[in-house]
Amino acid sequence: MARRGLDPARVVEAAARLADADGLPAVTLARVAAALDVRTPSLYNHVDGLDALRRGIALLGIAELIAALRDASVGRSGADALRAIARAQRAYALAHPGRYAAAAVSPPPDDAPWQAAGAEAVAVVGAALRGLDLGEEEQIHAIRGVRAAVHGFAALELAGGFGMAVDVDASFERLVDTLAAGLARR
């Protein structure tokens, strides 16, 4: 019998908290079970193993990131929207590093819900960049470039890769300004 109040969403949320605190590789069924004060076999009533649990963290992370990007870009266009989504992506990555790491994993080609979630995230970025008046192919390049630049910056920041005594926030703003200026010239 399932533990009262335990369901797949609660199991995934507990795993996501562990991923944020200790890193995605640290998430195991045993650790999630301990966090929920249940025996490990009990989790199988709610998730189909570790891969399914990590998939759940990825889907949660993507959904939360989409919401953050949408909230940031509402009512904005062009370079202002680009700056807003870049800041939102970085803020989400720093606040939820485990979820963000899971969300950054490429989904299996046969996982339609995960593929759709990833496509929705890309579409939100594309919508934010639409005000830059780029052609269709140029917009794809811009989406890729913005996502890669912001992800790379956040990944380096999370890894402690910015040890020089210069304000990291200022460096990020310069990166985003450079992206915005470059895309505006296209």
PDB file of all heavy atoms in Angstrom, residues 56-98:
ATOM      1  N   GLY A  56      11.700  12.585 -14.587  1.00  0.00           N
ATOM      2  CA  GLY A  56      10.754  13.439 -13.870  1.00  0.00           C
ATOM      3  C   GLY A  56      11.394  14.750 -13.428  1.00  0.00           C
ATOM      4  O   GLY A  56      10.775  15.813 -13.532  1.00  0.00           O
ATOM      5  N   ILE A  57      12.634  14.686 -12.968  1.00  0.00           N
ATOM      6  CA  ILE A  57      13.349  15.907 -12.583  1.00  0.00           C
ATOM      7  C   ILE A  57      13.542  16.791 -13.811  1.00  0.00           C
ATOM      8  O   ILE A  57      13.365  18.007 -13.752  1.00  0.00           O
ATOM      9  CB  ILE A  57      14.713  15.584 -11.924  1.00  0.00           C
ATOM     10  CG1 ILE A  57      14.524  14.803 -10.634  1.00  0.00           C
ATOM     11  CG2 ILE A  57      15.496  16.875 -11.658  1.00  0.00           C
ATOM     12  CD1 ILE A  57      15.817  14.214 -10.083  1.00  0.00           C
ATOM     13  N   ALA A  58      13.896  16.184 -14.941  1.00  0.00           N
ATOM     14  CA  ALA A  58      14.089  16.952 -16.175  1.00  0.00           C
ATOM     15  C   ALA A  58      12.798  17.646 -16.595  1.00  0.00           C
ATOM     16  O   ALA A  58      12.803  18.845 -16.923  1.00  0.00           O
ATOM     17  CB  ALA A  58      14.595  16.039 -17.290  1.00  0.00           C
ATOM     18  N   LEU A  59      11.696  16.920 -16.590  1.00  0.00           N
ATOM     19  CA  LEU A  59      10.419  17.510 -16.995  1.00  0.00           C
ATOM     20  C   LEU A  59       9.988  18.620 -16.040  1.00  0.00           C
ATOM     21  O   LEU A  59       9.462  19.655 -16.467  1.00  0.00           O
ATOM     22  CB  LEU A  59       9.342  16.436 -17.100  1.00  0.00           C
ATOM     23  CG  LEU A  59       9.518  15.462 -18.273  1.00  0.00           C
ATOM     24  CD1 LEU A  59       8.521  14.323 -18.178  1.00  0.00           C
ATOM     25  CD2 LEU A  59       9.401  16.183 -19.599  1.00  0.00           C
ATOM     26  N   LEU A  60      10.224  18.416 -14.753  1.00  0.00           N
ATOM     27  CA  LEU A  60       9.928  19.463 -13.768  1.00  0.00           C
ATOM     28  C   LEU A  60      10.794  20.693 -14.043  1.00  0.00           C
ATOM     29  O   LEU A  60      10.301  21.823 -14.067  1.00  0.00           O
ATOM     30  CB  LEU A  60      10.164  18.942 -12.345  1.00  0.00           C
ATOM     31  CG  LEU A  60      10.002  19.956 -11.214  1.00  0.00           C
ATOM     32  CD1 LEU A  60       8.568  20.476 -11.142  1.00  0.00           C
ATOM     33  CD2 LEU A  60      10.422  19.323  -9.886  1.00  0.00           C
ATOM     34  N   GLY A  61      12.083  20.464 -14.250  1.00  0.00           N
ATOM     35  CA  GLY A  61      12.998  21.573 -14.522  1.00  0.00           C
ATOM     36  C   GLY A  61      12.621  22.338 -15.783  1.00  0.00           C
ATOM     37  O   GLY A  61      12.640  23.570 -15.804  1.00  0.00           O
ATOM     38  N   ILE A  62      12.271  21.614 -16.833  1.00  0.00           N
ATOM     39  CA  ILE A  62      11.877  22.278 -18.079  1.00  0.00           C
ATOM     40  C   ILE A  62      10.613  23.100 -17.860  1.00  0.00           C
ATOM     41  O   ILE A  62      10.527  24.257 -18.301  1.00  0.00           O
ATOM     42  CB  ILE A  62      11.692  21.256 -19.220  1.00  0.00           C
ATOM     43  CG1 ILE A  62      13.032  20.612 -19.597  1.00  0.00           C
ATOM     44  CG2 ILE A  62      11.068  21.924 -20.447  1.00  0.00           C
ATOM     45  CD1 ILE A  62      12.896  19.394 -20.509  1.00  0.00           C
ATOM     46  N   ALA A  63       9.631  22.530 -17.192  1.00  0.00           N
ATOM     47  CA  ALA A  63       8.378  23.254 -16.947  1.00  0.00           C
ATOM     48  C   ALA A  63       8.629  24.521 -16.129  1.00  0.00           C
ATOM     49  O   ALA A  63       8.080  25.591 -16.443  1.00  0.00           O
ATOM     50  CB  ALA A  63       7.380  22.345 -16.236  1.00  0.00           C
ATOM     51  N   GLU A  64       9.445  24.413 -15.106  1.00  0.00           N
ATOM     52  CA  GLU A  64       9.745  25.588 -14.283  1.00  0.00           C
ATOM     53  C   GLU A  64      10.542  26.625 -15.071  1.00  0.00           C
ATOM     54  O   GLU A  64      10.302  27.827 -14.945  1.00  0.00           O
ATOM     55  CB  GLU A  64      10.505  25.169 -13.027  1.00  0.00           C
ATOM     56  CG  GLU A  64       9.663  24.382 -12.045  1.00  0.00           C
ATOM     57  CD  GLU A  64      10.448  23.867 -10.853  1.00  0.00           C
ATOM     58  OE1 GLU A  64      11.700  23.891 -10.873  1.00  0.00           O
ATOM     59  OE2 GLU A  64       9.793  23.422  -9.894  1.00  0.00           O
ATOM     60  N   LEU A  65      11.484  26.166 -15.886  1.00  0.00           N
ATOM     61  CA  LEU A  65      12.279  27.093 -16.697  1.00  0.00           C
ATOM     62  C   LEU A  65      11.393  27.797 -17.721  1.00  0.00           C
ATOM     63  O   LEU A  65      11.513  29.014 -17.918  1.00  0.00           O
ATOM     64  CB  LEU A  65      13.428  26.348 -17.377  1.00  0.00           C
ATOM     65  CG  LEU A  65      14.366  27.201 -18.225  1.00  0.00           C
ATOM     66  CD1 LEU A  65      15.005  28.322 -17.415  1.00  0.00           C
ATOM     67  CD2 LEU A  65      15.436  26.323 -18.861  1.00  0.00           C
ATOM     68  N   ILE A  66      10.495  27.056 -18.362  1.00  0.00           N
ATOM     69  CA  ILE A  66       9.569  27.675 -19.316  1.00  0.00           C
ATOM     70  C   ILE A  66       8.765  28.770 -18.620  1.00  0.00           C
ATOM     71  O   ILE A  66       8.616  29.877 -19.157  1.00  0.00           O
ATOM     72  CB  ILE A  66       8.641  26.610 -19.936  1.00  0.00           C
ATOM     73  CG1 ILE A  66       9.406  25.728 -20.920  1.00  0.00           C
ATOM     74  CG2 ILE A  66       7.433  27.260 -20.620  1.00  0.00           C
ATOM     75  CD1 ILE A  66       8.642  24.493 -21.367  1.00  0.00           C
ATOM     76  N   ALA A  67       8.249  28.472 -17.451  1.00  0.00           N
ATOM     77  CA  ALA A  67       7.462  29.468 -16.712  1.00  0.00           C
ATOM     78  C   ALA A  67       8.305  30.698 -16.396  1.00  0.00           C
ATOM     79  O   ALA A  67       7.832  31.840 -16.547  1.00  0.00           O
ATOM     80  CB  ALA A  67       6.900  28.853 -15.434  1.00  0.00           C
ATOM     81  N   ALA A  68       9.538  30.487 -15.980  1.00  0.00           N
ATOM     82  CA  ALA A  68      10.419  31.619 -15.658  1.00  0.00           C
ATOM     83  C   ALA A  68      10.717  32.457 -16.901  1.00  0.00           C
ATOM     84  O   ALA A  68      10.700  33.699 -16.835  1.00  0.00           O
ATOM     85  CB  ALA A  68      11.716  31.109 -15.027  1.00  0.00           C
ATOM     86  N   LEU A  69      10.978  31.805 -18.021  1.00  0.00           N
ATOM     87  CA  LEU A  69      11.268  32.524 -19.264  1.00  0.00           C
ATOM     88  C   LEU A  69      10.041  33.300 -19.744  1.00  0.00           C
ATOM     89  O   LEU A  69      10.159  34.455 -20.168  1.00  0.00           O
ATOM     90  CB  LEU A  69      11.740  31.557 -20.352  1.00  0.00           C
ATOM     91  CG  LEU A  69      13.065  30.833 -20.093  1.00  0.00           C
ATOM     92  CD1 LEU A  69      13.335  29.815 -21.198  1.00  0.00           C
ATOM     93  CD2 LEU A  69      14.217  31.808 -19.942  1.00  0.00           C
ATOM     94  N   ARG A  70       8.886  32.663 -19.666  1.00  0.00           N
ATOM     95  CA  ARG A  70       7.646  33.348 -20.087  1.00  0.00           C
ATOM     96  C   ARG A  70       7.370  34.553 -19.201  1.00  0.00           C
ATOM     97  O   ARG A  70       7.053  35.637 -19.696  1.00  0.00           O
ATOM     98  CB  ARG A  70       6.470  32.383 -20.024  1.00  0.00           C
ATOM     99  CG  ARG A  70       6.343  31.522 -21.229  1.00  0.00           C
ATOM    100  CD  ARG A  70       4.956  30.894 -21.316  1.00  0.00           C
ATOM    101  NE  ARG A  70       4.904  30.131 -22.532  1.00  0.00           N
ATOM    102  CZ  ARG A  70       4.596  28.853 -22.615  1.00  0.00           C
ATOM    103  NH1 ARG A  70       4.260  28.179 -21.532  1.00  0.00           N
ATOM    104  NH2 ARG A  70       4.593  28.239 -23.771  1.00  0.00           N
ATOM    105  N   ASP A  71       7.475  34.343 -17.894  1.00  0.00           N
ATOM    106  CA  ASP A  71       7.221  35.447 -16.972  1.00  0.00           C
ATOM    107  C   ASP A  71       8.164  36.613 -17.237  1.00  0.00           C
ATOM    108  O   ASP A  71       7.760  37.770 -17.187  1.00  0.00           O
ATOM    109  CB  ASP A  71       7.375  34.992 -15.520  1.00  0.00           C
ATOM    110  CG  ASP A  71       6.242  34.091 -15.053  1.00  0.00           C
ATOM    111  OD1 ASP A  71       5.226  33.955 -15.774  1.00  0.00           O
ATOM    112  OD2 ASP A  71       6.384  33.495 -13.962  1.00  0.00           O
ATOM    113  N   ALA A  72       9.415  36.290 -17.523  1.00  0.00           N
ATOM    114  CA  ALA A  72      10.411  37.334 -17.750  1.00  0.00           C
ATOM    115  C   ALA A  72      10.171  38.095 -19.049  1.00  0.00           C
ATOM    116  O   ALA A  72      10.450  39.293 -19.130  1.00  0.00           O
ATOM    117  CB  ALA A  72      11.814  36.724 -17.768  1.00  0.00           C
ATOM    118  N   SER A  73       9.653  37.417 -20.059  1.00  0.00           N
ATOM    119  CA  SER A  73       9.553  38.044 -21.374  1.00  0.00           C
ATOM    120  C   SER A  73       8.202  38.686 -21.665  1.00  0.00           C
ATOM    121  O   SER A  73       8.076  39.419 -22.652  1.00  0.00           O
ATOM    122  CB  SER A  73       9.879  37.013 -22.463  1.00  0.00           C
ATOM    123  OG  SER A  73       8.953  35.952 -22.459  1.00  0.00           O
ATOM    124  N   VAL A  74       7.216  38.465 -20.812  1.00  0.00           N
ATOM    125  CA  VAL A  74       5.887  39.039 -21.057  1.00  0.00           C
ATOM    126  C   VAL A  74       5.980  40.556 -21.163  1.00  0.00           C
ATOM    127  O   VAL A  74       6.576  41.219 -20.307  1.00  0.00           O
ATOM    128  CB  VAL A  74       4.900  38.628 -19.934  1.00  0.00           C
ATOM    129  CG1 VAL A  74       3.619  39.449 -20.000  1.00  0.00           C
ATOM    130  CG2 VAL A  74       4.577  37.157 -20.026  1.00  0.00           C
ATOM    131  N   GLY A  75       5.402  41.092 -22.231  1.00  0.00           N
ATOM    132  CA  GLY A  75       5.376  42.538 -22.424  1.00  0.00           C
ATOM    133  C   GLY A  75       6.672  43.134 -22.927  1.00  0.00           C
ATOM    134  O   GLY A  75       6.800  44.354 -22.992  1.00  0.00           O
ATOM    135  N   ARG A  76       7.618  42.291 -23.272  1.00  0.00           N
ATOM    136  CA  ARG A  76       8.914  42.782 -23.746  1.00  0.00           C
ATOM    137  C   ARG A  76       9.134  42.312 -25.180  1.00  0.00           C
ATOM    138  O   ARG A  76       8.566  41.312 -25.602  1.00  0.00           O
ATOM    139  CB  ARG A  76      10.044  42.257 -22.876  1.00  0.00           C
ATOM    140  CG  ARG A  76       9.946  42.647 -21.423  1.00  0.00           C
ATOM    141  CD  ARG A  76      11.029  41.938 -20.608  1.00  0.00           C
ATOM    142  NE  ARG A  76      10.837  42.092 -19.197  1.00  0.00           N
ATOM    143  CZ  ARG A  76      11.328  43.083 -18.461  1.00  0.00           C
ATOM    144  NH1 ARG A  76      12.037  44.033 -19.031  1.00  0.00           N
ATOM    145  NH2 ARG A  76      11.103  43.136 -17.173  1.00  0.00           N
ATOM    146  N   SER A  77      10.000  43.003 -25.869  1.00  0.00           N
ATOM    147  CA  SER A  77      10.345  42.559 -27.218  1.00  0.00           C
ATOM    148  C   SER A  77      11.778  42.959 -27.532  1.00  0.00           C
ATOM    149  O   SER A  77      12.389  43.755 -26.822  1.00  0.00           O
ATOM    150  CB  SER A  77       9.384  43.164 -28.255  1.00  0.00           C
ATOM    151  OG  SER A  77       9.555  44.560 -28.317  1.00  0.00           O
ATOM    152  N   GLY A  78      12.290  42.366 -28.595  1.00  0.00           N
ATOM    153  CA  GLY A  78      13.621  42.705 -29.064  1.00  0.00           C
ATOM    154  C   GLY A  78      14.701  42.451 -28.033  1.00  0.00           C
ATOM    155  O   GLY A  78      14.676  41.456 -27.297  1.00  0.00           O
ATOM    156  N   ALA A  79      15.644  43.377 -27.972  1.00  0.00           N
ATOM    157  CA  ALA A  79      16.789  43.229 -27.070  1.00  0.00           C
ATOM    158  C   ALA A  79      16.354  43.190 -25.607  1.00  0.00           C
ATOM    159  O   ALA A  79      16.971  42.503 -24.791  1.00  0.00           O
ATOM    160  CB  ALA A  79      17.786  44.364 -27.294  1.00  0.00           C
ATOM    161  N   ASP A  80      15.285  43.898 -25.277  1.00  0.00           N
ATOM    162  CA  ASP A  80      14.779  43.885 -23.901  1.00  0.00           C
ATOM    163  C   ASP A  80      14.306  42.480 -23.523  1.00  0.00           C
ATOM    164  O   ASP A  80      14.569  41.995 -22.416  1.00  0.00           O
ATOM    165  CB  ASP A  80      13.653  44.906 -23.761  1.00  0.00           C
ATOM    166  CG  ASP A  80      13.202  45.099 -22.326  1.00  0.00           C
ATOM    167  OD1 ASP A  80      14.060  45.070 -21.415  1.00  0.00           O
ATOM    168  OD2 ASP A  80      11.989  45.290 -22.124  1.00  0.00           O
ATOM    169  N   ALA A  81      13.621  41.803 -24.438  1.00  0.00           N
ATOM    170  CA  ALA A  81      13.168  40.428 -24.194  1.00  0.00           C
ATOM    171  C   ALA A  81      14.352  39.484 -24.096  1.00  0.00           C
ATOM    172  O   ALA A  81      14.378  38.593 -23.242  1.00  0.00           O
ATOM    173  CB  ALA A  81      12.212  39.979 -25.297  1.00  0.00           C
ATOM    174  N   LEU A  82      15.324  39.676 -24.962  1.00  0.00           N
ATOM    175  CA  LEU A  82      16.534  38.835 -24.911  1.00  0.00           C
ATOM    176  C   LEU A  82      17.204  38.968 -23.549  1.00  0.00           C
ATOM    177  O   LEU A  82      17.553  37.960 -22.924  1.00  0.00           O
ATOM    178  CB  LEU A  82      17.499  39.238 -26.028  1.00  0.00           C
ATOM    179  CG  LEU A  82      18.770  38.426 -26.154  1.00  0.00           C
ATOM    180  CD1 LEU A  82      19.278  38.452 -27.586  1.00  0.00           C
ATOM    181  CD2 LEU A  82      19.859  38.884 -25.222  1.00  0.00           C
ATOM    182  N   ARG A  83      17.379  40.190 -23.091  1.00  0.00           N
ATOM    183  CA  ARG A  83      18.008  40.403 -21.781  1.00  0.00           C
ATOM    184  C   ARG A  83      17.192  39.741 -20.666  1.00  0.00           C
ATOM    185  O   ARG A  83      17.747  39.121 -19.760  1.00  0.00           O
ATOM    186  CB  ARG A  83      18.165  41.897 -21.504  1.00  0.00           C
ATOM    187  CG  ARG A  83      19.256  42.562 -22.301  1.00  0.00           C
ATOM    188  CD  ARG A  83      19.364  44.058 -21.985  1.00  0.00           C
ATOM    189  NE  ARG A  83      20.421  44.671 -22.759  1.00  0.00           N
ATOM    190  CZ  ARG A  83      20.244  45.222 -23.966  1.00  0.00           C
ATOM    191  NH1 ARG A  83      19.037  45.244 -24.511  1.00  0.00           N
ATOM    192  NH2 ARG A  83      21.267  45.737 -24.619  1.00  0.00           N
ATOM    193  N   ALA A  84      15.887  39.864 -20.744  1.00  0.00           N
ATOM    194  CA  ALA A  84      15.022  39.311 -19.704  1.00  0.00           C
ATOM    195  C   ALA A  84      15.103  37.792 -19.654  1.00  0.00           C
ATOM    196  O   ALA A  84      15.207  37.206 -18.566  1.00  0.00           O
ATOM    197  CB  ALA A  84      13.583  39.765 -19.931  1.00  0.00           C
ATOM    198  N   ILE A  85      15.072  37.138 -20.819  1.00  0.00           N
ATOM    199  CA  ILE A  85      15.131  35.670 -20.798  1.00  0.00           C
ATOM    200  C   ILE A  85      16.515  35.177 -20.405  1.00  0.00           C
ATOM    201  O   ILE A  85      16.632  34.158 -19.738  1.00  0.00           O
ATOM    202  CB  ILE A  85      14.662  35.032 -22.124  1.00  0.00           C
ATOM    203  CG1 ILE A  85      15.564  35.426 -23.282  1.00  0.00           C
ATOM    204  CG2 ILE A  85      13.195  35.326 -22.394  1.00  0.00           C
ATOM    205  CD1 ILE A  85      15.352  34.610 -24.540  1.00  0.00           C
ATOM    206  N   ALA A  86      17.546  35.902 -20.807  1.00  0.00           N
ATOM    207  CA  ALA A  86      18.902  35.504 -20.422  1.00  0.00           C
ATOM    208  C   ALA A  86      19.059  35.571 -18.903  1.00  0.00           C
ATOM    209  O   ALA A  86      19.583  34.641 -18.279  1.00  0.00           O
ATOM    210  CB  ALA A  86      19.929  36.396 -21.112  1.00  0.00           C
ATOM    211  N   ARG A  87      18.589  36.649 -18.321  1.00  0.00           N
ATOM    212  CA  ARG A  87      18.665  36.792 -16.856  1.00  0.00           C
ATOM    213  C   ARG A  87      17.827  35.720 -16.154  1.00  0.00           C
ATOM    214  O   ARG A  87      18.242  35.163 -15.139  1.00  0.00           O
ATOM    215  CB  ARG A  87      18.195  38.173 -16.436  1.00  0.00           C
ATOM    216  CG  ARG A  87      19.154  39.282 -16.827  1.00  0.00           C
ATOM    217  CD  ARG A  87      18.612  40.648 -16.444  1.00  0.00           C
ATOM    218  NE  ARG A  87      19.452  41.698 -16.984  1.00  0.00           N
ATOM    219  CZ  ARG A  87      18.981  42.733 -17.681  1.00  0.00           C
ATOM    220  NH1 ARG A  87      17.681  42.882 -17.894  1.00  0.00           N
ATOM    221  NH2 ARG A  87      19.815  43.633 -18.150  1.00  0.00           N
ATOM    222  N   ALA A  88      16.652  35.424 -16.712  1.00  0.00           N
ATOM    223  CA  ALA A  88      15.776  34.415 -16.104  1.00  0.00           C
ATOM    224  C   ALA A  88      16.402  33.027 -16.184  1.00  0.00           C
ATOM    225  O   ALA A  88      16.328  32.256 -15.223  1.00  0.00           O
ATOM    226  CB  ALA A  88      14.412  34.427 -16.790  1.00  0.00           C
ATOM    227  N   GLN A  89      17.011  32.703 -17.313  1.00  0.00           N
ATOM    228  CA  GLN A  89      17.650  31.386 -17.448  1.00  0.00           C
ATOM    229  C   GLN A  89      18.796  31.249 -16.458  1.00  0.00           C
ATOM    230  O   GLN A  89      18.916  30.231 -15.775  1.00  0.00           O
ATOM    231  CB  GLN A  89      18.155  31.170 -18.871  1.00  0.00           C
ATOM    232  CG  GLN A  89      18.811  29.808 -19.066  1.00  0.00           C
ATOM    233  CD  GLN A  89      19.269  29.576 -20.497  1.00  0.00           C
ATOM    234  OE1 GLN A  89      18.801  30.228 -21.425  1.00  0.00           O
ATOM    235  NE2 GLN A  89      20.193  28.655 -20.672  1.00  0.00           N
ATOM    236  N   ARG A  90      19.627  32.258 -16.369  1.00  0.00           N
ATOM    237  CA  ARG A  90      20.747  32.214 -15.425  1.00  0.00           C
ATOM    238  C   ARG A  90      20.239  32.122 -13.991  1.00  0.00           C
ATOM    239  O   ARG A  90      20.739  31.312 -13.193  1.00  0.00           O
ATOM    240  CB  ARG A  90      21.621  33.454 -15.594  1.00  0.00           C
ATOM    241  CG  ARG A  90      22.762  33.524 -14.587  1.00  0.00           C
ATOM    242  CD  ARG A  90      23.567  34.800 -14.774  1.00  0.00           C
ATOM    243  NE  ARG A  90      24.604  34.937 -13.781  1.00  0.00           N
ATOM    244  CZ  ARG A  90      24.822  36.057 -13.098  1.00  0.00           C
ATOM    245  NH1 ARG A  90      24.091  37.141 -13.320  1.00  0.00           N
ATOM    246  NH2 ARG A  90      25.790  36.110 -12.210  1.00  0.00           N
ATOM    247  N   ALA A  91      19.259  32.920 -13.647  1.00  0.00           N
ATOM    248  CA  ALA A  91      18.717  32.901 -12.279  1.00  0.00           C
ATOM    249  C   ALA A  91      18.151  31.527 -11.951  1.00  0.00           C
ATOM    250  O   ALA A  91      18.366  31.015 -10.843  1.00  0.00           O
ATOM    251  CB  ALA A  91      17.646  33.977 -12.114  1.00  0.00           C
ATOM    252  N   TYR A  92      17.451  30.915 -12.895  1.00  0.00           N
ATOM    253  CA  TYR A  92      16.898  29.585 -12.641  1.00  0.00           C
ATOM    254  C   TYR A  92      18.023  28.576 -12.440  1.00  0.00           C
ATOM    255  O   TYR A  92      17.974  27.759 -11.519  1.00  0.00           O
ATOM    256  CB  TYR A  92      15.961  29.142 -13.778  1.00  0.00           C
ATOM    257  CG  TYR A  92      15.335  27.814 -13.448  1.00  0.00           C
ATOM    258  CD1 TYR A  92      14.234  27.743 -12.601  1.00  0.00           C
ATOM    259  CD2 TYR A  92      15.889  26.623 -13.901  1.00  0.00           C
ATOM    260  CE1 TYR A  92      13.684  26.527 -12.232  1.00  0.00           C
ATOM    261  CE2 TYR A  92      15.349  25.400 -13.534  1.00  0.00           C
ATOM    262  CZ  TYR A  92      14.253  25.354 -12.707  1.00  0.00           C
ATOM    263  OH  TYR A  92      13.730  24.148 -12.325  1.00  0.00           O
ATOM    264  N   ALA A  93      19.033  28.636 -13.293  1.00  0.00           N
ATOM    265  CA  ALA A  93      20.153  27.693 -13.185  1.00  0.00           C
ATOM    266  C   ALA A  93      20.845  27.818 -11.829  1.00  0.00           C
ATOM    267  O   ALA A  93      21.195  26.806 -11.212  1.00  0.00           O
ATOM    268  CB  ALA A  93      21.155  27.927 -14.311  1.00  0.00           C
ATOM    269  N   LEU A  94      21.036  29.044 -11.371  1.00  0.00           N
ATOM    270  CA  LEU A  94      21.721  29.252 -10.090  1.00  0.00           C
ATOM    271  C   LEU A  94      20.848  28.845  -8.907  1.00  0.00           C
ATOM    272  O   LEU A  94      21.347  28.334  -7.913  1.00  0.00           O
ATOM    273  CB  LEU A  94      22.159  30.710  -9.951  1.00  0.00           C
ATOM    274  CG  LEU A  94      23.180  31.201 -10.987  1.00  0.00           C
ATOM    275  CD1 LEU A  94      23.490  32.678 -10.776  1.00  0.00           C
ATOM    276  CD2 LEU A  94      24.441  30.366 -10.974  1.00  0.00           C
ATOM    277  N   ALA A  95      19.539  29.049  -9.021  1.00  0.00           N
ATOM    278  CA  ALA A  95      18.633  28.709  -7.923  1.00  0.00           C
ATOM    279  C   ALA A  95      18.335  27.215  -7.862  1.00  0.00           C
ATOM    280  O   ALA A  95      18.094  26.678  -6.783  1.00  0.00           O
ATOM    281  CB  ALA A  95      17.322  29.485  -8.065  1.00  0.00           C
ATOM    282  N   HIS A  96      18.369  26.546  -9.007  1.00  0.00           N
ATOM    283  CA  HIS A  96      17.990  25.127  -9.092  1.00  0.00           C
ATOM    284  C   HIS A  96      19.002  24.358  -9.946  1.00  0.00           C
ATOM    285  O   HIS A  96      18.654  23.852 -11.018  1.00  0.00           O
ATOM    286  CB  HIS A  96      16.589  24.985  -9.682  1.00  0.00           C
ATOM    287  CG  HIS A  96      15.542  25.691  -8.908  1.00  0.00           C
ATOM    288  ND1 HIS A  96      15.103  25.246  -7.679  1.00  0.00           N
ATOM    289  CD2 HIS A  96      14.852  26.831  -9.167  1.00  0.00           C
ATOM    290  CE1 HIS A  96      14.181  26.073  -7.229  1.00  0.00           C
ATOM    291  NE2 HIS A  96      14.025  27.047  -8.101  1.00  0.00           N
ATOM    292  N   PRO A  97      20.235  24.253  -9.492  1.00  0.00           N
ATOM    293  CA  PRO A  97      21.273  23.662 -10.347  1.00  0.00           C
ATOM    294  C   PRO A  97      21.021  22.207 -10.740  1.00  0.00           C
ATOM    295  O   PRO A  97      21.352  21.807 -11.863  1.00  0.00           O
ATOM    296  CB  PRO A  97      22.550  23.806  -9.524  1.00  0.00           C
ATOM    297  CG  PRO A  97      22.095  23.999  -8.115  1.00  0.00           C
ATOM    298  CD  PRO A  97      20.762  24.679  -8.190  1.00  0.00           C
ATOM    299  N   GLY A  98      20.439  21.418  -9.866  1.00  0.00           N
ATOM    300  CA  GLY A  98      20.176  20.020 -10.198  1.00  0.00           C
ATOM    301  C   GLY A  98      19.063  19.873 -11.218  1.00  0.00           C
ATOM    302  O   GLY A  98      19.167  19.094 -12.169  1.00  0.00           O
TER     303      GLY A  98
END
